[in-house]
Amino acid sequence: MNHSDHDHNHNHNHDHDHDHGHNHNHNHALPDQIGRVFIFGIGLNVLFVAIEVGFGLWSNSMALLSDAAHNLSDVLGLLIAWGATVLGRRAASAHFSYGLRSSTILAALVNAGFLIVMTLAIIFEALPRLLHPEVVQGAVLIWVALAGVFINGLTALLFMRGQAHDLNQRGAFLHMAADAVVSFGVVIAGILIVFTHWNWLDPFISILISLVILIPAWRLLKQAARLMLHGVPEGINPSDVRNYLASRAGVRDVHDMHIWALSTTENALTAHLIMADGAYSDALRETMNQALSARFNINHVTLQIESDASDFPCARAQGCPVSLNPVP
């Protein structure tokens, strides 16, 4: 008996939201609001870049001008993340059978790269100034940096809810949260510089904060790269999934199982199940689909059902590679 769960599972474009709403309502709810969050965040940060450039030119501050360039890279990062969110909502087509959901993974990877390059650039710029401190106008730093704390902190808060479930939004959240922390560090440096004239504090705090930022940025880069390479998403234990499938009534064996990410919020699974003749049913299929969604956040499932008494055993059952020879 060969039967595939293909018919049910590839209708997910219209039915998985209500079948498995338990997991998805918080991920996909109100996508228009997510768009407004990106637009608002981008607008705020463009305004802040303009403020930094203006005050940087007025006070002849290279620190503010370089920070303006850094914040401009964040605006680009937000644009990339927003664009990926929009692309991810596009329907499947003949050439992109899953739609463009995986663009959110690419955006998370690019954003992590931006974040790492930006922090390394700050360290590169700060090291010479640490050895040869330049005169810094502490008062200007304080007020402009306070504006940065407010604007970047507010933008980060907008992404806080979505970042727990969406790697793409997590990238945007980390960008903004990192900038808020950097700005707060600049405020402290500005206050100390005003009272002590220790100009070396400005590059010192920049280097210290950059090293702290690199830790979550590196983790985000590894997570995104793992998803890009079709690795099993974090939080899913393949052994637990295999054990669950193998424990279902009538299942004799599970093989050729694959788990990967369709996007930063959706995961997919394919597997071959060897079952006793007649043991498979639509009710069992639906039970497995709901359990895989609820327990493992796997939302797109395709199962190939094979008979335990078949004259045509699956070549993948014993880990044997499928012949690469062309069919004559």
Side-chain angles (χ1 to χ4, degrees), residues 156-176:
L157 284 174
L158 295 175
F159 288 106
M160 182 173 283
R161 184 184 176 201
Q163 67 93 24
H165 311 289
D166 186 340
L167 200 63
N168 182 37
Q169 288 192 55
R170 189 178 305 170
F173 170 77
L174 281 175
H175 264 293
M176 297 300 103

Side-chain angles (χ1 to χ4, degrees), residues 22 48 55-56 67 120 135 152 186 195 216 242 251 285 298 310:
H22 173 76
F48 185 51
F55 277 96
D67 196 52
L120 291 177
V135 176
N152 291 313
V186 173
F195 288 101
R242 183 184 298 276
V251 176
R285 176 202 67 198
I298 297 174
S310 174

